[in-house]
Amino acid sequence: MDFRDLKYFAVIAEEGHVGRAAERLYKTQPALTKCIDRLEEQLGAPLFERVGRGIRLTAVGEALLNRARQISLMMDETAREIGDYAHGREGNIRLGCVPTLAEHVLPGVCQQLLGEAQKVTIDLKVSMNDALLAGLKAGELDIVLGPMIQDDELFHTEEIMQDQMVVMASPHHPIFDKKIRLRHLLDYQWVLPAQSVLSRQWLDNVFDRHHLPRPKVQITPTVLNMILPLIERSNLLGFASKLNLSEGRGHLREVVLKETTMLRRMGLTYRRDMYLSPAAQRLIRILHEASLQHWDADKS
């Protein structure tokens, strides 16, 4: 079975139309038709069926498309691995990172890595964990730094540190003028991420469990690093990582409540079946070293 035939087949399947696939691949329609004929002859079953003016995959076609994508991913990974060693370079890292770790952990890790290997290149994507894991699953990322997930057949995850999400306000917020109870948090407006974000869901559930209304959200930013400046310059309450306080943000103060303190286990995650360049492997070791230093600092 020819690899080019599989690549062309995958494009035809994505387009659902031989003509559009031919335009995308800069091939003639007869050439693509012969490609499908060869594959169907080898498999002994049709791959497409006609639907109106287009085509759609048969059950056999669906199975072959899944395999073709796996083979394409394997070929890409093989090319990257051979390239690393053949050209004698340290390698490229496609790294995904949640905003909190990108701001507070990643700079020090990158400083150490780049100090050891000045030719290393990093493609960095900062986003929410669900989007990063989708990229990892699709083979677009090598490593993801974010909240721990459950180990499974596809992903391997390792804890690197623990973090706390807490309610925050500006130091002069009127909430600090009295003894704070959970219900008092509802007297003020909030700046919070969208409800699809795990930390927002967790906070909403705290109020649900105590039979209280959920926080009144006045601003919902899509860029999470906007939350802290908004809290600092207003009487809005927010929910953010305690790392922001340890880094010396003097214009923020924790609203201390046990009920609204969320423990987060942060980890690194990668695919079990994906090649990791020498540079990516070194990055993982540096993260482990940083994790040990974090635990030692906590104990002291």
Side-chain angles (χ1 to χ4, degrees):
M1 193 174 291
D2 190 276
F3 180 61
R4 282 179 297 180
D5 283 350
L6 287 176
K7 290 183 69 173
Y8 296 161
F9 158 73
V11 174
I12 296 168
E14 290 171 6
E15 294 293 340
H17 194 278
V18 175
R20 290 195 297 270
E23 292 177 3
R24 179 172 157 186
L25 292 167
Y26 301 102
K27 298 289 180 182
T28 65
Q29 292 190 43
L32 295 187
T33 300
K34 288 180 181 179
C35 157
I36 298 302
D37 290 342
R38 285 192 295 270
L39 290 173
E40 290 181 337
E41 183 179 352
Q42 292 169 354
L43 294 171
L47 298 174
F48 294 97
E49 57 187 3
R50 291 203 168 276
V51 181
R53 294 185 179 181
I55 54 176
R56 68 182 177 193
L57 290 169
T58 63
V60 173
E62 291 280 4
L64 182 61
L65 181 60
N66 288 333
R67 289 292 186 181
R69 286 171 173 166
Q70 292 174 9
I71 292 170
S72 178
L73 177 61
M74 182 184 69
M75 293 293 289
D76 290 343
E77 295 302 320
T78 300
R80 291 183 67 215
E81 181 175 6
I82 297 302
D84 279 339
Y85 290 103
H87 298 289
R89 58 179 180 242
E90 287 83 352
N92 171 258
I93 306 171
R94 300 173 301 171
L95 178 63
C97 191
V98 296
T100 300
L101 297 185
E103 181 177 359
H104 300 292
V105 175
L106 201 55
V109 171
C110 287
Q111 180 183 19
Q112 182 175 345
L113 177 64
L114 297 178
E116 297 176 5
Q118 296 182 2
K119 293 182 180 179
V120 72
T121 59
I122 301 174
D123 299 327
L124 177 61
K125 178 179 181 180
V126 179
S127 186
M128 302 310 297
N129 210 42
D130 54 352
L132 297 177
L133 292 176
L136 188 62
K137 185 175 182 179
E140 298 166 357
L141 295 172
D142 299 318
I143 302 171
V144 165
L145 304 181
M148 288 280 289
I149 64 169
Q150 191 70 33
D151 252 352
D152 60 22
E153 292 183 358
L154 182 60
F155 293 140
H156 173 73
T157 186
E158 305 171 20
E159 184 173 330
I160 56 172
M161 64 176 294
Q162 291 188 354
D163 180 29
Q164 288 182 345
M165 295 285 288
V166 297
V167 177
M168 292 186 185
S170 69
H172 308 295
H173 197 287
I175 197 169
F176 297 115
D177 295 339
K178 57 187 175 184
K179 189 171 184 178
I180 304 168
R181 297 285 185 267
L182 182 63
R183 65 180 183 275
H184 296 150
L185 303 182
L186 299 172
D187 295 336
Y188 306 96
Q189 299 278 10
W190 289 66
V191 49
L192 290 173
Q195 290 184 323
S196 59
V197 177
L198 180 61
S199 60
R200 168 73 181 276
Q201 295 172 6
W202 186 92
L203 186 65
D204 284 344
N205 287 335
V206 169
F207 289 90
D208 291 346
R209 289 197 307 272
H210 288 82
H211 308 289
L212 291 169
R214 292 182 175 183
K216 295 173 287 186
V217 181
Q218 190 164 25
I219 300 179
T220 304
T222 56
V223 180
L224 295 187
N225 60 6
M226 281 300 301
I227 289 180
L228 299 179
L230 288 168
I231 299 171
E232 290 173 338
R233 293 167 174 80
S234 70
N235 279 339
L236 295 171
L237 297 178
F239 195 55
S241 168
K242 204 168 182 177
L243 287 172
N244 294 296
L245 299 178
S246 64
E247 292 295 325
R249 291 190 77 111
H251 300 295
L252 288 173
R253 180 177 171 186
E254 179 184 355
V255 180
V256 181
L257 276 175
K258 181 179 179 181
E259 301 98 308
T260 55
T261 300
M262 173 187 173
L263 178 65
R264 294 196 303 177
R265 297 171 62 213
M266 308 299 279
L268 66 90
T269 302
Y270 54 86
R271 284 180 57 143
R272 296 181 186 275
D273 61 351
M274 180 172 282
Y275 162 71
L276 292 176
S277 69
Q281 295 176 36
R282 179 56 188 146
L283 175 66
I284 290 174
R285 290 194 293 272
I286 291 173
L287 285 164
H288 286 154
E289 294 166 5
S291 173
L292 291 174
Q293 294 173 2
H294 173 78
W295 293 124
D296 291 341
D298 283 351
K299 289 177 182 178
S300 62

